[in-house]
């Protein structure tokens, strides 16, 4: 498999300045232990969650699996327009707003503002057209961006738009989706506006159409923040073909998120291997910045065989244990090294947020947080009291 090279950077620890001569003898035996412990991954790993299960205290096991495993969430269905305003315009958004009670350490994708399929829109909209329809679209963007301002990192603005074009057809406006992106961005400029589509890597049907759409939006100056690729896969996915399709989509130059990963494989050992291979491919691809699973529990999954955990106790199966191991152990850096005065230390570490702890004789003498990203980083650590001045270089 591909090495996970791009996800790691080097940290060099060096004791820089020399103490006065009279301290030198003492320092010959002096060493400190540096522990770097990763708190968060720069690459986004997350899952769709059901709004009731993630909120209701009766679903403790569901919540535990989620929080033990992931750092990003997307509400599976709760934000879709028919769910918000199923029977009539103007149902309050506040109930839903209050029920989103994810821990503040979880980042959230907003899915979705529009979904332009004839059977995906609220039923009361079917009789509308022209200016009347356009004005409810405008109002919906205002409601969503106002209610959820600052809550989401991404908006899926118009879901599955290379397949579904209800609003384009009814309004006789082929560029209505571009207008949706511009309006959403104008009203909520800090949330990135995403395209999100299917059959992009899971089949060849839509790969080039998706690239074409992105290039067209780019040429028109539409504020696209990234491209979501759903990735609902069958058993034994062909990695070579998926990579080739990803490379095609990446030509648009936008960040890519895998937004709805699942693999419909009921043999849990095969499923474990399939997930690991696909996760490794996505994690290794320079254009991919995050991967969202489309659910994890067989009690709440559109493809129960794809789940990572089963039954009333949300017990991780082989695939779930594999995913937890990769995300919480194998692809995280947690290292402790002893360093003597003047010695150099090199650690390759996964990108993300870190806690640095410095111990001497079993006592913690210094702690601080730092982050490691592609731009590199350089920290000056002054171990006050020890007379020692140590510099940490963080570089590519
Ligand atoms: C949200 O979660 C916090 C902490 O877990 C809890 O104290 C609070 O009651 C929850 N709020 C709701 C509306 O459930
Ligand atoms: C998942 O696979 C099973 C057979 O293993 C099949 O019956 C089912 O239709 C598939 N589900 C989806 C949503 O593709
Ligand atoms: C990090 O490693 C230390 C031992 O060096 C261990 O005690 C600790 O549990 C580890 N933490 C995590 C989050 O793996
Ligand atoms: C480091 O980050 C953790 C987790 O976000 C936080 O609890 C802690 O207070 C931070 N420590 C410092 C020294 O800023
Ligand atoms: C390190 O901290 C000590 C004590 O606070 C201070 O006297 C010294 O100037 C600092 N050294 C550097 C290089 O910042």
């Amino acid at each position: 498999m591909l090495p996970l090279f791009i996800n790691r950077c080097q940290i060099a620890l060096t004791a820089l300045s020399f103490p006065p001569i009279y301290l030198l003898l003492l320092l010959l035996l002096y060493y400190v232990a540096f522990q770097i412990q990763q708190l968060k991954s720069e690459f986004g790993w997350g899952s769709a969650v059901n709004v009731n299960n993630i909120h209701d205290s009766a679903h403790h096991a569901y919540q535990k699996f989620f929080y033990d495993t992931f750092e990003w969430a997307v509400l599976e269905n709760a934000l879709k327009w028919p769910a918000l305003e199923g029977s009539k315009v103007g149902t309050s958004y506040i109930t839903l707003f209050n029920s989103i009670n994810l821990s503040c350490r979880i980042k959230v994708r907003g899915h979705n503002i529009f979904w332009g399929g004839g059977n995906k829109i609220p039923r009361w909209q079917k009789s509308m057209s022209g200016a009347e329809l356009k004005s409810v679209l405008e109002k919906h963007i205002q409601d969503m961006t106002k209610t959820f301002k600052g809550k989401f990192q991404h908006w899926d603005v118009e879901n599955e738009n290379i397949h579904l074009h209800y609003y384009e057809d009814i309004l006789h406006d082929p560029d209505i989706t571009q207008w949706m992106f511009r309006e959403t961005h104008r009203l909520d400029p800090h949330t990135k506006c995403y395209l999100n589509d299917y059959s992009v890597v899971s089949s060849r049907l839509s790969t080039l159409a998706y690239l074409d759409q992105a290039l067209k939006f780019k040429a028109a100056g539409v504020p696209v923040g990234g491209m979501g690729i759903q990735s609902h896969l069958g058993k034994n996915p062909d990695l070579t073909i998926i990579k080739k399709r990803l490379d095609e989509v990446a030509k648009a130059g936008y960040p890519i998120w895998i937004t709805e990963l699942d693999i419909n494989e009921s043999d849990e050992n095969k499923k474990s291997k399939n997930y690991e291979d696909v996760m490794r491919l996505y994690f290794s691809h320079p254009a991919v910045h995050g991967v969202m699973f489309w659910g994890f529990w067989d009690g709440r999954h559109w493809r129960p065989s794809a789940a990572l955990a089963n039954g009333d106790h949300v017990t991780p199966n082989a695939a779930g244990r594999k995913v937890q191991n990769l995300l919480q152990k194998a692809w995280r850096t947690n290292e402790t090294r002893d360093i003597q005065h003047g010695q150099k230390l090199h650690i390759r570490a996964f990108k993300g947020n870190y806690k640095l702890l410095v111990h001497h004789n079993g006592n913690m003498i210094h702690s601080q947080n730092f982050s490691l990203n592609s731009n590199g980083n350089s920290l000056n650590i002054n171990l006050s009291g020890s007379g020692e001045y140590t510099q940490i270089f963080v570089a590519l």
Side-chain angles (χ1 to χ4, degrees), residues 235 264 266 302-303 305:
K235 47 184 70 182
N264 194 18
S266 50
W302 79 298
R303 296 165 135 185
S305 319

Side-chain angles (χ1 to χ4, degrees), residues 18 34 39 88 106 118 138 142 182 202 214 256 340-341:
F18 288 84
F34 276 92
L39 304 173
K88 60 182 170 58
I106 300 295
E138 172 77 59
Q142 288 166 2
R182 290 198 168 96
S202 59
I256 292 173
Q340 279 182 334
H341 185 71

Side-chain angles (χ1 to χ4, degrees), residues 2 16 60 120 157 163 180 201 217 219 231 233 238-239 260 271 276 283 301 332 348 381-382:
L2 295 159
L16 268 194
H60 174 74
K120 312 293 186 193
V157 176
H163 296 91
M180 291 168 177
V201 294
F217 277 39
S231 190
L233 302 174
D238 184 329
L239 299 180
E260 307 188 7
K271 179 164 63 178
E276 177 176 6
F283 194 28
H301 207 297
R332 284 204 180 234
R348 279 184 63 70
I381 314 291
N382 187 351

Side-chain angles (χ1 to χ4, degrees), residues 27 29 72 75 80 96 103 113 127 132 140-141 147 179 196 213 242 256 262 264 321 330-331 352:
L27 283 164
L29 295 173
W72 281 72
L75 300 175
K80 291 170 182 170
L96 180 76
S103 153
I113 299 180
S127 58
E132 187 192 18
H140 189 56
I141 297 175
T147 307
W179 169 82
N196 187 48
Q213 182 188 37
I242 293 177
I256 292 173
D262 52 36
N264 194 18
R321 291 192 299 273
W331 293 344

Side-chain angles (χ1 to χ4, degrees), residues 15 48 54 106 122 175 214 220 226 267 275 292 306 310 386:
I54 203 66
I106 300 295
D175 294 328
D267 179 304
Y275 271 124
M292 306 291 295
N310 304 94
S386 70

Side-chain angles (χ1 to χ4, degrees), residues 39-40 105 353-356 367-370:
L39 304 173
K40 240 178 175 358
R105 62 183 186 81
N353 293 347
Y354 280 87
K355 182 161 71 175
L356 166 70
S367 85
Q368 75 178 72
N369 293 339
F370 70 96

Side-chain angles (χ1 to χ4, degrees), residues 268-272 308 310 315-323:
E268 65 172 275
N269 293 314
K270 287 184 190 154
K271 179 164 63 178
S272 169
L308 304 176
N310 304 94
T315 310
N317 54 41
R321 291 192 299 273
K322 171 58 75 181
V323 169

